[in-house]
């Protein structure tokens, strides 16, 4: 029921419906979005808040949700066409977006109201296709208590930075008096838009209202937002400062996997994004159906198609991913089906970095930063430029799970890979509902066999692996 098209299901055909049924076993701040091509980037997305049936770990009197989106004049398809047009300069000139907050112009939000001495939970969701957001509430104490559906030990901050796909909850203590109203501040920015005053970054303000008649405390928006740590790498304040509230120590490592993010030019000068030199392309049948129908061959990663970039994991293996980002853009990498522990950040080996990217970074080697005793867990992590991040998780959720950049343009250009986790256990335990398989049948998509839709090891019909012309 994960919903990723051609990974765990066929997409819902136009004009049809499908009912997702799943056990809700994790309270927190989520969002849901179309996972087929550029649906998310064009706005098919909405917050999904799961309340705890029991008392929340942290007490609060009220809550607000801030869902941030990027808003462009062009459709995603138009922006993508510009990006991959070999006749245009690369990277292309692209206008910076405006921000939406809860679906309206970021400067036209309704005031949120605070009562004195109460505590509020503010849930922040970056649903954008490509950009980072900052949030601050001057004059108030703010503590991070949740990241991506996992509680943290409260951490006091001046503000937070969220990459695409990321969520935070902060607890905010209202002031003792209702005599003044305050501003909340939002910034939208990204590393790949040139800094142009008024264009990028853009700043937005809204009102925290204690009392309709009170005066507004006007602050210096730009200086407050620019003081929130973001560092050169756009990683936000370091995730490793957070500690997981469930006090799970770092997992031991059974298997360590290196993943190198990058970009490359393929035939006809087409730019694509890559993980370990492979650019993702959909198989001809959803990978989950291959895992369920290939029997003992399901442990052979090649049968999922070279371009699905599959790694097969054993049941309950403890995995460490070392994700290297030797290029100039930070990547918010999202893992389906799991949260991972954030173990360590550090610099990439300069030899991994293309010479044209080294300039300006050679003297700024990032420090090695290690997690606290109880590493924070989350499902989306920004891999800063010229750095690596070590992540750990236990393969205790049999299934087929994408790991991909949550900047839609990078996902669309192939920065994605597939974990096929415990296919043996899957084959013994999983039954796909007929209503789900029917969606494939209606679209002429096979539901048995390897990535080509053939039985056994015959991959004929799959396009050949495209080769990299230059980096
Ligand atoms: Cu990316």
């Amino acid at each position: 029921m994960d919903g990723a098209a051609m990974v765990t299901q066929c997409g819902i055909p136009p004009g049809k419906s499908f009912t997702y049924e799943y056990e809700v076993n994790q309270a927190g701040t989520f969002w849901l979005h179309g996972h087929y091509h550029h649906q998310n980037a064009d706005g098919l997305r909405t917050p999904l808040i799961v309340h705890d049936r029991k008392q929340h770990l942290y007490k609060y009197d009220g809550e607000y949700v801030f869902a941030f989106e990027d808003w462009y004049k062009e459709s995603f398809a138009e922006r993508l066409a510009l990006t991959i047009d070999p006749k245009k300069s690369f990277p292309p000139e692209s206008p910076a977006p405006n921000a939406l907050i809860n679906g309206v112009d970021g400067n036209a939000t309704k005031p949120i109201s605070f009562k004195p001495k109460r505590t509020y939970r503010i849930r922040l969701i970056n649903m954008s296709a490509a950009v980072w957001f900052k949030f601050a509430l001057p004059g108030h104490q703010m503590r991070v208590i949740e990241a991506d559906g996992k509680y943290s030990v409260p951490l006091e901050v001046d503000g937070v930075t969220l990459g695409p796909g990321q969520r935070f909850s902060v607890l905010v203590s209202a002031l003792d008096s209702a005599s003044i109203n305050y501003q909340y501040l939002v910034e939208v920015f990204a590393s790949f838009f040139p800094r142009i005053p008024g264009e990028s970054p853009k700043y937005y303000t809204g009102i925290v209202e204690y009392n309709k008649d009170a005066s507004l405390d006007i602050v210096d928006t730009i200086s407050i937002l620019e003081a929130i740590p973001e560092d050169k790498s756009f990683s936000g304040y370091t995730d490793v400062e957070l500690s997981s509230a469930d006090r799970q120590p770092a997992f031991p490592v059974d298997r360590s996997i290196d993943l190198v993010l990058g970009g490359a030019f393929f035939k006809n000068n087409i730019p694509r994004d890559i993980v370990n030199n492979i650019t993702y392309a959909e198989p001809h049948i959803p990978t989950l159906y291959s895992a369920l129908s290939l029997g003992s061959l399901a442990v052979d990663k090649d049968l999922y198609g070279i371009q699905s970039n599959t790694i097969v994991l054993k049941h309950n293996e403890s995995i460490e991913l070392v994700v290297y980002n030797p290029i100039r853009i930070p990547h918010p990498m999202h893992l389906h089906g799991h949260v991972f522990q954030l173990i360590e950040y550090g610099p990439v080996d300069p030899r991994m970095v293309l010479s044209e990217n080294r300039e300006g970074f050679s003297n700024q080697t990032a420090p090695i930063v290690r997690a606290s005793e109880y590493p924070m867990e989350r499902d989306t992590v920004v891999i800063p430029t010229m750095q690596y991040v070590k992540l750990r998780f236990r393969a205790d959720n049999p299934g087929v799970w994408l790991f991909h950049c949550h900047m839609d343009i990078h996902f669309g250009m192939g920065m994605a890979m597939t974990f096929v986790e415990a296919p043996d256990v899957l084959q013994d335990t999983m039954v796909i509902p007929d209503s789900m398989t029917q969606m494939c049948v209606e679209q002429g998509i096979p539901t048995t066999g390897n990535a080509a839709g053939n039985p056994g090891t015959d991959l004929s019909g799959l396009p050949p692996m495209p080769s990299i012309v230059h980096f």
Side-chain angles (χ1 to χ4, degrees):
M1 297 289 166
D2 189 45
M6 298 312 284
V7 180
T8 51
Q9 67 164 94
C10 299
I12 304 170
K16 297 293 168 70
S17 68
F18 177 73
T19 303
Y20 290 90
E21 292 182 54
Y22 53 97
E23 200 177 321
V24 178
N25 52 17
Q26 192 185 359
T29 307
F30 301 91
W31 59 300
L32 58 93
H33 56 88
H35 218 293
Y36 176 74
H37 295 184
H38 41 76
Q39 291 172 335
N40 171 49
D42 285 332
L44 186 55
R45 53 197 177 197
T46 193
L48 175 66
I49 308 301
V50 182
H51 293 279
D52 217 324
R53 192 189 290 278
K54 303 177 298 255
Q55 182 60 260
H56 281 285
L57 182 60
Y58 302 114
K59 297 206 172 14
Y60 48 90
D61 305 298
E63 68 171 80
Y64 292 99
V65 176
F66 284 76
F68 301 121
E69 296 175 82
D70 43 358
W71 192 253
Y72 304 82
K73 293 192 183 71
E74 314 81 13
S75 71
F76 182 83
E78 288 165 332
R79 299 199 304 282
L80 184 65
L82 265 180
T83 303
I84 62 173
D85 183 346
K87 296 189 287 294
K88 294 273 183 345
S89 66
F90 185 81
E93 293 289 309
S94 176
N98 295 304
L100 301 181
I101 301 175
N102 295 335
V104 303
D105 177 327
N107 275 321
T109 55
K110 285 200 199 98
I112 60 172
S113 64
F114 273 16
K115 289 198 169 70
K117 299 181 181 167
R118 301 275 172 88
T119 299
Y120 295 89
R121 179 177 186 166
I122 298 184
R123 299 175 187 264
L124 306 163
I125 310 174
N126 184 348
M127 307 197 301
S128 83
V131 295
W132 272 244
F133 281 87
K134 280 187 193 174
F135 177 84
L137 211 173
H140 292 72
Q141 192 208 42
M142 186 189 286
R143 288 164 291 157
V144 175
I145 56 157
E146 181 215 342
D148 302 353
K150 294 295 288 186
Y151 283 120
S152 68
V153 173
L155 176 73
E156 192 168 341
V157 295
D158 294 328
V160 292
T161 301
L162 303 96
Q166 293 188 313
R167 296 88 67 202
F168 278 122
S169 282
V170 292
L171 283 188
V172 179
S173 310
L175 303 177
D176 291 349
S177 137
S179 58
I180 300 176
N181 294 329
Y182 290 81
Q183 289 182 302
Y184 61 78
L185 312 178
V186 172
E187 175 182 343
V188 58
F189 68 105
S191 65
F192 44 89
F193 297 122
R195 274 187 94 92
I196 301 171
E199 194 54 35
S200 182
K202 286 191 176 82
Y203 304 97
Y204 298 85
T205 61
I207 296 172
V208 179
E209 190 174 83
Y210 280 87
N211 170 353
K212 270 193 191 50
D213 303 321
S215 63
L216 184 63
D217 182 42
I218 304 279
V219 295
D220 181 347
T221 302
I222 296 178
S223 67
I224 289 172
L225 285 169
E226 293 304 326
I228 296 170
E230 139 199 336
D231 77 37
K232 296 175 196 70
S233 56
F234 290 82
S235 63
Y237 72 86
T238 311
D239 280 341
V240 287
E241 284 176 51
L242 289 168
S243 282
S244 165
D246 61 16
R247 299 174 72 82
Q248 165 69 50
F251 294 127
V253 180
D254 296 327
R255 182 178 175 192
S256 183
I257 298 171
D258 285 351
L259 300 173
V260 182
L261 310 178
F265 290 86
F266 288 73
K267 212 175 113 189
N268 298 327
N269 215 27
I270 299 288
R272 296 279 301 177
D273 288 324
I274 54 178
V275 180
N276 290 355
N277 287 345
I278 294 174
T279 186
Y280 180 87
E282 290 170 357
H284 290 178
I285 95 168
T287 303
L288 179 61
Y289 283 99
S290 292
L292 289 173
S293 64
L294 283 170
S296 59
L297 292 173
V299 293
D300 181 349
K301 70 176 174 58
D302 292 346
L303 298 184
Y304 299 100
I306 304 296
Q307 281 193 265
S308 75
N309 206 351
T310 294
I311 292 176
V312 179
L313 304 178
K314 293 197 187 87
H315 191 40
N316 284 332
E317 251 184 332
S318 195
I319 303 295
E320 178 166 88
L321 304 180
V322 190
V323 189
Y324 297 89
N325 181 15
I327 51 180
R328 278 177 177 272
I329 296 178
H331 296 285
M333 298 300 294
H334 170 54
L335 179 61
H336 288 230
H338 288 278
V339 290
F340 42 68
Q341 296 176 318
L342 296 153
I343 300 295
E344 185 180 302
Y345 287 68
V348 295
D349 186 324
R351 285 168 298 185
M352 287 179 112
V353 181
L354 291 177
S355 56
E356 66 259 37
N357 281 335
R358 265 184 225 149
E359 194 191 333
F361 282 90
S362 51
N363 298 324
Q364 301 170 3
T365 306
I368 292 177
V369 185
R370 292 198 175 87
S372 65
E373 187 179 1
Y374 305 113
M376 190 58 193
E377 295 168 290
R378 64 186 315 172
D379 63 30
T380 306
V381 59
V382 174
I383 316 294
T385 60
M386 306 300 154
Q387 291 186 48
Y388 68 80
V389 180
K390 289 184 180 173
L391 312 170
R392 290 185 194 168
F393 65 98
R394 198 180 289 283
D396 57 3
N397 190 14
V400 175
W401 309 119
L402 268 190
F403 184 55
H404 67 93
C405 182
H406 227 299
M407 289 163 76
D408 288 70
I409 202 143
H410 296 168
F411 179 42
M413 290 170 73
M415 190 175 281
M417 57 163 297
T418 312
F419 288 108
V420 171
E421 181 174 331
D424 49 341
V425 180
L426 266 183
Q427 289 172 7
D428 287 345
T429 55
M430 179 173 279
V431 178
I432 296 188
D434 289 342
S435 57
M436 187 172 256
T437 300
Q438 190 56 32
M439 295 193 289
C440 298
V441 173
E442 284 174 21
Q443 297 171 91
I445 299 169
T447 55
T448 60
N450 58 40
N454 301 330
T457 58
D458 170 17
L459 286 166
S460 58
L462 269 194
M465 169 79 170
S467 47
I468 291 169
V469 177
H470 66 95
F471 288 96

